[in-house]
Amino acid sequence: MSERSQTVPTPEGEYFESTRFAGLSFLLGSVALVALVLCALGAVVNPHQFSYSWLFAFAFFFTLCAGCFFWTIVHHATDAEWTVVVRRQLENIAALLAVLALLFVPILLLRHHLYAWMDIPPGHEAALDFKRAYLDFNFFLIRAIVFLGYFIVASQLLRRFSVRQDRDGNPQFTIWMRRVSFASLPMFALCLTFGAFDWLMSLNYHWFSTMFGVYIFAGAAGSSMSLLVLVITALRQAGYLKDVVTLEHYHIMGKWMLAFCIFWAYIGFGQYMLIWYANIPEETQFFIARNTQSWWALSMLLVVGRFFGPFAILLLRSIKKHPHRLCIVAGWIVFMQMLDMYLIVLPALHGTGVHVSIWDLLSLIAIGATLGFVYLRLVPRTSLFPVRDPRLIESLKLVN
Amino acid sequence: MDAAPTAPETIKEAERQIARVPLVLHRRNFSWLTERISGVVEQPAPRWWWVAFTITGSAATFGLFCIGYLISTGVGTWGNNIPVGWAWGITNFVFWIGIGHAGTLISAILFLLRQKWRTSINRSAEAMTLFAVICAAIFPGIHVGRFWMAWYLAPIPSNWAIWQNFRSALMWDVFAVSTYFTVSVLFWYTGLIPDLATLRDRATTRVRKLLFGVFACGWRGSNRNWRHYEMAYLLLAGLSTPLVLSVHSVVSFDFATTILPTWHTTIFPPYFVAGAIFGGFAMVLTLLLPCRAMFKLHDVITAQHIDKMAKIILLTGSFVGYAYTMEFFIAWYSGSSYERFGSWNRVFGPYWWYWWFGMLFCNVLSPQLFWFRWCRRNVLVVFFVAMCVNAGMWFERFIIIVGGLHRDFLPSSWRMFHPTWVDIWTYIGTLGIFTSLFLLFVRFLPMIAMSEVKTAVPEADPHYTTPPGIQSVSPGGKERPR
C-alpha cells in the first residue's frame, strides 16, 4: 500500500547546509590535494605503473558519472515520474563529468605508457597498419575532446534547465530537457562506446569485441544506480529528503539494480561464451590474460560478486525496501564495478598475475576525493530535489 | 540559455504538451468497454472478415500442401545447395521467432515496468506471439526432410541411446523456443480467464456458455480469485522476462558460435533481441491498425498507444543501426581480411540491394521518421514504416544467413541461392497460417484485455469521484464525436 495519502502538498525545497559539513568538505579537499600531489610524484617516479593505475581509477569514476548521466536522460526521454525526487542528485553527479574531463589530462600526458600502438611506427606491424586510420593520436585526441565535450555540455545543460525550473516552475524547461535528452540518447551510445574502445579496448590493439561498448554501458548503468542509492541514503541519514524519498522509491531503485545486475551478466556471459566457443586466438587472448595466473581468482570473484550474490539478494523485496540493507548491496556493487574496471585495465600491464600497487589506491583516492569535494560544493547551490517539476506530486505519491 | 519564454500562452501550450492524456478516451466507462470489446466476439462476423479469412486460409492451405509435397518428395524440392544450405528455412524460422518477441515484451516487461498503456494491446500481441512461434516451429520440424524423425530434437532419456549433441546451439534453440512457447501460452491463458468469464456470463447460447465456462475455470471474480490471479500473473511476468532475452539470444548463438565471417560477432545476442522486439512491434502495429479501424476501437487503442509503440520501434531500430555500425567498424578494425570481405560483400556483393533496401532503408532509415511527432501520429506513416520494418527484418535475416554462406572460403565453391516455388509458397503459407490464426482469435476471443483496460480508466481508482457536470458514457448513451 501507498505510504501516502492521495493529496500530497508540494513540499518546499530542501537545501543542504554546507556549514554543517564544512569539516567533511575540508577533509576531502585536503585528502584530494595531498593525493593529487603524490600522484604527480608517482607519474614521475613510476610512470608506467602509475599510468595504468590512473586509467583504472578514471574508468571507474567515469562509468559511475556517465551512468548517472544516462539515468537523467532516460528520465526525461521516457517522461518518468518516480525519478523526479532523486533526479537532482543524478544531475549533480553527472555534472562531475566536467571535473573528470580535467582528470583525463594525465592519461593524455602518459599515453605512451598506456597505448603501445602510439609508439609503433607505420610499416612495422601489418595488423596495426590496417587500423592506422583510427588508431592515430591526433584522431584519438579529437575524439576524446568530442566525447568529453559532449558529456560536459549535455550534463551541464540539463542541470541548468532543471535548476532554472526550480525558480519559476516554467513547464517549457521540461520540454527543453526532453529534447536535449532525445538528442542525447544516440550521442551517449556512440560516445560511451567509442570512448570505451579508445581508452580501454585499445590497451591491447590486437583485441576487439563488438559487445565491448554495451558491456561497459551495462556496468555503468547498474553501478550508478547503486551509487545513487548510497548518495540518497547518505542525505537521508543527514536529515534531508526524509519526506520526499520514500521506501517506494527505494523499491524501484532496488529493482533497477537487480535488472542491471542481470543485464550485466547477460552481456558479460554473451561476450565471454561466444569468444570461448569460437576459440579464435586474436579474441581469446583478452580472456586468457584474465583467466590465468592469479587473475583467475579475481575474475571468479567478479562473476560471483557482480552477479550471483547481488542477484539472489536483490530478488527479496524486504531488501529493496530497506534502505540500509539495500545500501550494503549497493556498496558491494560499486565495489564490484571497481573490480571490473581493474580487471579490464591492469592485466594489460601485469600479464604474469595480480600486482597490487600503492598507485592504484592513491589514484582512486585522488580522483574520488576530488569528485567528492566538488560534489559537496555543488549540492548546496540548489534544492536537493527539483522543487517545481510538473511531475513532482506524482513522484511523491508513488506506489509500486 | 536559461531564459524560457514566460508568455502565458507559451506556458499554457507547454502545459498542454506535458499533460497526461487518458489511456481510454471520451470517458468510456466499464460498461462501454465490455460492450464494445465483447461485441467483436458476439456479433456476426463482418463481411471483410470472411473475405480476409478466405484469402489467408487459401494461402495457409497451399502452404500446407507445399509442406506435404516437401515431405513426400524430399528436400530436393527446396532450393538448398552447397554452400548455402537450407538458408530459406532458417531465414523464415528466425523471422517468425523474432515476430514472437513483442508479445511477451509487452505482457511481461512492460507489466513489470508498470506501463499501463500496455493493457490495450497486450492480449492481441500475446496471441500474435503464439501464432508466430507456431509458424517458426514449422521450419526446424520440416527441414530435416525425414519429418517423422523430428522427435529426435526433444529431450530423450539416455537409455534410448539417441545421443543428441548438447554442445550444438541448434539443440539449445529447441529448449529455448519450447520453454518460451510454454510460458507464453500460460501467460496468455492466465490473462484470458477473467475475460472468458465475462463472455460466459454474457453468453446467449448453451454451447458458448459451456465452452467459455469450462475455459474460465470457474472464475467468479471474488476477492480470493483476484488475489491468486494477480500473484500468478506477477510470477509469470517474472518468469517470462528472462525468456524475452534468452530466446533470441540463443537463436543468435546458432550463428555467433561459429567462426564464419559476419556470423561470429559478440554483439549478436542483444542485437538479435533488439531486432526481434523491433520486428515484433512492427507486426503488432500491422495487425492492430486495421483491427482498430474495422472494429472502431479508437477510444481504446488511441493515438497515444500508437505513438508509444512508434517510439519503441525508433529505439530498437536505432539499436539495430548501432549494432550494424559495430559490426562494420569491428570488421574493419579487426584487420581480418575475411571479416572485411564479408562486410564489403554484404554491401556491394551480389545481394547488395537486400542490404541497401532491407537493412539500411527499411530497418535503419525508415524508423527515423518517428523522431517527428506528426509521423508518429499519422496512421498511414506508421503503417508504412511498420510494413518497411516487416520487410526489412526478413531481408536482414536473409542477408545475414545467405550473405555469410554464399561466398565460401574457396571461390570455386561460390554459389548463389535461388528459392524454388515450394520455398516461396511455404513461406507465404506460413504468412497465411499466421494471419488466419489471428483472424480466428479476433473472432472467438476478446482481442483486448477487458479486465486490464478497466484498471487504466479513472473510475478504477477507489478514490475517484466524477467531476461535477461530467458523465461517463454508457453503451446506450450518445457517442461523442472523435
Side-chain angles (χ1 to χ4, degrees), chain B residues 149-388:
Chain B
M149 306 301 276
W151 59 274
Y152 272 34
L153 292 168
I156 295 166
S158 302
N159 61 355
W160 292 20
I162 294 167
W163 305 109
Q164 292 144 327
N165 184 4
F166 285 102
R167 286 179 297 180
S168 162
L170 292 173
M171 196 70 217
W172 308 342
D173 243 0
V174 176
F175 293 104
V177 174
S178 51
T179 311
Y180 183 67
F181 186 74
T182 309
V183 176
S184 297
V185 168
L186 285 173
F187 205 2
W188 181 66
Y189 182 63
T190 306
L192 259 174
I193 288 173
D195 287 357
L196 289 175
T198 304
L199 291 178
R200 172 200 64 197
D201 297 344
R202 294 167 54 88
T204 48
T205 66
R206 271 196 175 176
V207 177
R208 288 177 78 93
K209 208 170 199 62
L210 178 74
L211 285 174
F212 285 128
V214 167
F215 287 108
C217 300
W219 177 269
R220 286 289 175 273
S222 66
N223 186 307
R224 176 182 288 196
N225 281 172
W226 278 111
R227 200 154 42 84
H228 291 166
Y229 167 86
E230 291 192 355
M231 182 51 75
Y233 204 81
L234 179 66
L235 289 176
L236 282 168
L239 278 175
S240 303
T241 298
L243 291 175
V244 177
L245 291 179
S246 73
V247 177
H248 229 54
S249 297
V250 173
V251 170
S252 82
F253 291 164
D254 293 348
F255 308 101
T257 51
T258 67
I259 53 169
L260 201 69
T262 69
W263 282 20
H264 173 66
T265 174
T266 48
I267 205 170
F268 257 27
Y271 155 38
F272 267 50
V273 172
I277 294 166
F278 178 53
F281 264 92
M283 190 59 88
V284 171
L285 281 168
T286 307
L287 295 175
L288 275 188
L289 289 178
C291 285
R292 172 181 183 254
M294 292 299 187
F295 295 118
K296 297 188 172 44
L297 294 167
H298 300 76
D299 286 345
V300 189
I301 304 169
T302 66
Q304 187 186 178
H305 293 91
I306 297 167
D307 184 289
K308 287 187 157 74
M309 285 194 271
K311 281 180 180 167
I312 291 182
I313 286 182
L314 172 62
L315 176 73
T316 47
S318 300
F319 184 81
V320 166
Y322 167 88
Y324 293 167
T325 311
M326 287 305 111
E327 279 189 307
F328 280 114
F329 175 75
I330 294 291
W332 172 82
Y333 182 88
S334 71
S336 160
S337 49
Y338 299 105
E339 287 288 349
R340 286 182 171 196
F341 172 78
S343 297
W344 180 88
N345 184 54
R346 194 176 268 190
V347 182
F348 300 111
Y351 291 108
W352 62 271
W353 71 270
Y354 282 68
W355 187 84
W356 288 94
F357 174 70
M359 291 175 80
L360 186 65
F361 173 73
C362 291
N363 288 352
V364 179
L365 297 181
S366 75
Q368 304 307 320
L369 285 173
F370 289 154
W371 282 103
F372 306 102
R373 190 172 183 273
W374 69 268
C375 286
R376 298 194 302 270
R377 298 277 166 158
N378 185 318
V379 175
L380 290 177
V381 176
V382 172
F383 195 73
F384 168 75
V385 173
M387 293 307 282
C388 281

Side-chain angles (χ1 to χ4, degrees), chain B residues 51-88:
Chain B
V51 173
F53 188 70
T54 307
I55 296 168
T56 60
S58 305
T61 309
F62 196 70
L64 291 172
F65 163 75
C66 287
I67 292 171
Y69 179 64
L70 166 84
I71 292 166
S72 60
T73 313
V75 182
T77 57
W78 277 4
N80 297 3
N81 64 37
I82 293 173
V84 175
W86 52 289
W88 191 268

